[in-house]
Amino acid sequence: QVELVESGGGLVQAGGSLRLSCVASGRTDSYDMAWFRRAPGKGREFIAAISRSSETAYADSVKGRATISRDNAKNTVYLQLNRLKSEDTAVYHCAAKRSYVPITTNDYNYWGRGTQVTVSS
């Protein structure tokens, strides 16, 4: 029963960086958190996840360029994106789940509305 609100998206040049934020309406201690993205005409793509015990996982498409972190005191999850490419252009969504299935699953239960990231070439 958590509400998620993303922020931090915008227009950046290729090679630049952004830090996205996701603020939850309640405490996040008991939730696994993740970031997904959806590009125009394409399906939802898993990007990164962080478990309630701070284990992390990344998609190959962003591995080495992305860092996911969490601050439970602020009910917030972050996604740092570096060396951005045109193909990173998408709406980025925050997600949360209470279950103990692996954090790399697509089956998260709560979703934010998303924040737009546009990378110019």
Side-chain angles (χ1 to χ4, degrees), residues 61-89:
S61 59
V62 299
K63 188 174 179 63
R65 301 189 297 120
T67 302
I68 188 170
S69 60
R70 64 191 300 161
D71 185 346
N72 289 333
K74 296 181 178 180
N75 299 330
T76 301
V77 178
Y78 304 97
L79 181 68
Q80 177 73 36
L81 294 170
N82 300 322
R83 302 191 303 280
L84 286 162
K85 309 172 181 178
S86 295
E87 49 263 48
D88 293 320
T89 295

Side-chain angles (χ1 to χ4, degrees), residues 73-119:
K74 296 181 178 180
N75 299 330
T76 301
V77 178
Y78 304 97
L79 181 68
Q80 177 73 36
L81 294 170
N82 300 322
R83 302 191 303 280
L84 286 162
K85 309 172 181 178
S86 295
E87 49 263 48
D88 293 320
T89 295
V91 177
Y92 284 72
H93 296 268
C94 179
K97 69 177 179 70
R98 185 73 164 81
S99 75
Y100 283 90
V101 299
I103 60 175
T104 52
T105 185
N106 290 326
D107 195 17
Y108 282 74
N109 302 113
Y110 305 98
W111 296 86
R113 297 284 175 84
T115 184
Q116 176 72 50
V117 172
T118 303
V119 183

Side-chain angles (χ1 to χ4, degrees), residues 11-76:
L11 175 63
V12 297
Q13 293 183 342
S17 298
L18 281 176
R19 189 178 76 156
L20 309 182
S21 298
C22 170
V23 180
S25 59
R27 60 185 303 169
T28 56
D29 304 50
S30 300
Y31 291 85
D32 298 333
M33 308 294 293
W35 288 93
F36 293 77
R37 69 188 182 190
R38 191 180 188 98
K42 297 186 177 181
R44 186 176 293 152
E45 177 189 9
F46 172 85
I47 298 300
I50 184 166
S51 74
R52 65 206 73 187
S53 59
S54 295
E55 305 290 332
T56 59
Y58 298 93
D60 288 342
S61 59
V62 299
K63 188 174 179 63
R65 301 189 297 120
T67 302
I68 188 170
S69 60
R70 64 191 300 161
D71 185 346
N72 289 333
K74 296 181 178 180
N75 299 330
T76 301

